[in-house]
Amino acid sequence: LHRQIYERFRLAILHGQLRPGQRVASARALAAQLGLARGTVDAAYAQLAGEGYLEAMGQKGTRVATGVIRLDRPRAAPLPARRAPPAVAAIAAGTPLPLQLGIPALDAFPRKLWSRLGARRIRALGLAQLSYPDPRGNARLREAISSYLLPARGIRCSADQVFITAGYGASLDLACRVLLRAGQRFWLEDPCYPPARRLLEEAGARIVPVPVDEHGMRVEDGIRLAPKAALALVTPSHQAPLGVSLSIARRMKLLAWAQSSGAWIVEDDYDSEFRYTGAPLPALKALDSVGRVLYAGTFSKVLFPGLRLAYLVVPPAQVDAFSRAVGRSASGCPDLTQELVADFMEEGHLSRHIKKMRSLYAQRRITLATALEEAFGDRIRVQLQAGGMHLLARIQSRRRDSQLAASAQRQGLAVQALSQRATGTHAGQALLMGFTNVVSKAQARELAARLRAAVGRA
Ligand SMILES: Cc1ncc(COP(=O)(O)O)c(C=O)c1O
């Protein structure tokens, strides 16, 4: 036994799994963990120390010797030449790049307040929170969301209808698990939010792209193309990525189609809180008197995406089916974070934060648009939408928007090409860019100049 322990440590150190200077468990703790006699581990540690792999630090325990040299890892198989590493995430992780889409103003998040509420919440941790959380979500948070949705989005729902998920993708995945059968048709706006498209394809949906114009999804085209589709995904408040709103006539047509054909509508209401001209429009769900709409909200835009908290409001008749589905997976979200968000909402901080961000974003949006117009002159048409967190810039160029975006990305700007989110060509070409993290006029000018240099002359 002591030889086995010795060998495992030796290989782990040589292959870098244990790093020079890293502390290892005390002989007593390791013996207890492995159910061995203390002497067995002592013998292995003594040999490792004798050969220079470990060093004792007295009271401070034992660590991997600092001078140990790591061997190269054995190669399992030769790597294919020049293959790009696989992308693990649909959305870039880590510190956002300039102009990155969909990230709220991280500099303006009230971190002090958040950490105060967080510390209070951890101090109040009771035994119940140490056990498994409710897979439907924390009861207080579900209550807080249902209370928020009526004044903010015109939605009447009980806390029972609210399911907490780990992000919009998880909400969509849950909706597909419960409502979609493989091979069924699914209307998707064209252009769309690409992660949603990939997720639906993986769930086995047959996607029917439905064009979007200045009044939102062309519902009549959807009915013509796939009248028997099982589901439709829409972003009615602020179409992703064109930013238009679904007109009231089309909202009524969509609901009437869903009711008569028995289809489900998933409403993605990701950033509707931010509207700069006029009051936010009520959600499509607010008009749903027959229970065909599932409403997907997220905390990624109104708080921050690192939270990984979103929610899905399902019609009353679907509550049992969704409860069974989340119960089967027994995953759920960390209860502590949910409690913290519930505190934040109950104490009125969320509404205050949204209000502040609305006026900050209104400023940042104009600042970026002005800087772009100054840098590009007549060559640019900035389409300022009534709401949202990004703008759309149509740039005159002989090159395609995807080529312009690629040039800009090489200069470290995270702009994206509209055409890469589309199946058809009706939406045209444009660059999409986030304005929420552009903190000053000087920064806006610098970014606009960099973009101008990257995309070159017409
Ligand atoms: C169209 C759209 N829907 C939903 C989301 C929210 O996704 P999540 O909750 O995973 O952050 C985003 C975020 O960028 C989005 O652009």
Side-chain angles (χ1 to χ4, degrees):
L1 284 174
H2 87 261
R3 280 233 45 106
Q4 283 184 33
I5 296 173
Y6 160 83
E7 241 342 88
R8 285 199 197 165
F9 270 90
R10 197 179 69 87
L11 290 175
I13 292 167
L14 288 176
H15 292 149
Q17 200 175 341
L18 289 173
R19 294 179 314 280
Q22 185 177 342
R23 278 188 54 179
V24 298
S26 72
R28 188 158 52 88
L30 187 62
Q33 193 186 334
L34 298 177
L36 299 173
R38 165 82 187 262
T40 310
V41 180
D42 276 340
Y45 274 21
Q47 187 171 353
L48 287 160
E51 294 179 15
Y53 290 106
L54 293 184
E55 54 197 25
M57 299 180 299
Q59 291 287 321
K60 288 194 180 154
T62 305
R63 69 178 180 191
V64 178
T66 44
V68 146
I69 295 174
R70 149 185 182 176
L71 295 180
D72 275 342
R73 271 168 199 279
R75 275 209 187 152
L79 291 171
R82 298 187 136 267
R83 242 204 26 219
V88 272
I91 301 160
T95 309
L97 291 170
L99 305 178
Q100 191 165 320
L101 297 174
I103 311 279
L106 301 183
D107 62 313
F109 185 73
R111 280 185 292 170
K112 261 199 191 140
L113 169 66
W114 185 256
S115 59
R116 188 159 51 74
L117 297 182
R120 193 183 68 189
R121 189 36 66 195
I122 288 179
R123 280 198 300 274
L125 198 65
L127 292 188
Q129 278 107 36
L130 301 185
S131 184
Y132 282 100
D134 187 330
R136 296 168 302 174
N138 176 282
R140 277 179 55 237
L141 181 58
R142 297 166 78 206
E143 278 293 342
I145 291 170
S146 84
S147 312
Y148 164 79
L149 286 177
L150 184 58
R153 308 299 301 122
I155 296 172
R156 222 169 264 286
C157 68
S158 70
D160 273 354
Q161 293 171 252
V162 180
F163 289 79
I164 309 293
T165 68
Y168 167 66
S171 296
L172 199 51
D173 193 46
L174 175 62
C176 287
R177 266 196 288 141
V178 178
L179 301 176
L180 176 77
R181 272 174 280 122
Q184 284 185 321
R185 289 175 193 263
F186 206 131
W187 293 7
L188 184 65
E189 292 168 328
D190 182 18
C192 70
Y193 176 56
R197 178 183 192 105
R198 283 192 285 273
L199 196 142
L200 298 184
E201 282 169 350
E202 279 169 21
R206 278 161 67 199
I207 290 182
V208 180
V210 182
V212 174
D213 63 20
E214 70 274 27
H215 303 296
M217 179 191 257
R218 294 176 55 91
V219 175
E220 56 282 20
D221 286 5
I223 296 174
R224 186 168 48 73
L225 293 164
K228 296 211 168 66
L231 282 124
L233 176 58
V234 275
T235 48
S237 303
H238 182 244
Q239 203 274 331
L242 292 175
V244 295
S245 308
L246 188 64
S247 69
I248 186 72
R250 289 196 185 163
R251 286 176 191 231
M252 300 316 288
K253 197 175 265 182
L254 182 61
L255 290 169
W257 165 75
Q259 185 176 6
S260 66
S261 70
W264 300 105
I265 300 166
V266 179
E267 172 176 22
D268 173 8
D269 202 37
Y270 61 112
D271 71 358
S272 58
E273 282 87 351
F274 304 117
R275 205 174 158 87
Y276 314 110
T277 49
L281 302 177
L284 173 68
K285 177 75 190 158
L287 298 172
D288 176 30
S289 52
V290 287
R292 304 308 306 175
V293 179
L294 292 96
Y295 174 90
T298 177
F299 287 106
S300 292
K301 315 297 171 191
V302 290
L303 291 175
F304 58 96
L307 259 185
R308 297 291 73 217
L309 277 186
Y311 49 94
L312 187 67
V313 180
V314 310
Q318 295 301 313
V319 167
D320 287 347
F322 276 79
S323 301
R324 281 195 299 275
V326 295
R328 274 196 298 275
S329 69
S331 42
C333 299
D335 197 54
L336 188 62
T337 340
Q338 297 185 61
E339 288 275 357
L340 176 47
V341 175
D343 291 343
F344 200 81
M345 293 177 85
E346 281 175 5
E347 293 172 27
H349 301 302
L350 182 67
S351 310
R352 274 195 290 280
H353 181 57
I354 292 175
K355 202 163 157 224
K356 265 195 199 154
M357 290 307 101
R358 209 175 277 146
S359 65
L360 182 72
Y361 293 171
Q363 263 172 30
R364 290 186 173 182
R365 161 177 172 269
I366 296 293
T367 304
L368 181 62
T370 310
L372 288 168
E373 279 161 358
E374 281 168 12
F376 283 85
D378 295 346
R379 273 184 68 200
I380 203 165
R381 193 156 52 85
V382 178
Q383 273 176 269
L384 281 185
Q385 303 145 353
M389 298 166 61
H390 69 267
L391 55 78
L392 218 121
R394 306 224 182 234
I395 296 179
Q396 269 174 31
S397 172
R398 284 189 304 265
R399 295 199 293 155
R400 295 187 51 76
D401 61 354
S402 51
Q403 293 170 316
L404 300 182
S407 301
Q409 285 162 10
R410 279 194 292 277
Q411 301 306 315
L413 302 175
V415 302
Q416 297 204 4
L418 175 61
S419 68
Q420 289 180 319
R421 297 181 168 224
T423 310
T425 53
H426 57 276
Q429 305 208 5
L431 294 182
L432 305 169
M433 42 194 117
F435 52 74
T436 43
N437 282 288
V438 176
V439 300
S440 65
K441 278 189 184 152
Q443 191 197 13
R445 286 197 193 110
E446 188 268 325
L447 292 172
R450 241 159 93 191
L451 183 65
R452 169 84 171 73
V455 305
R457 304 198 173 281

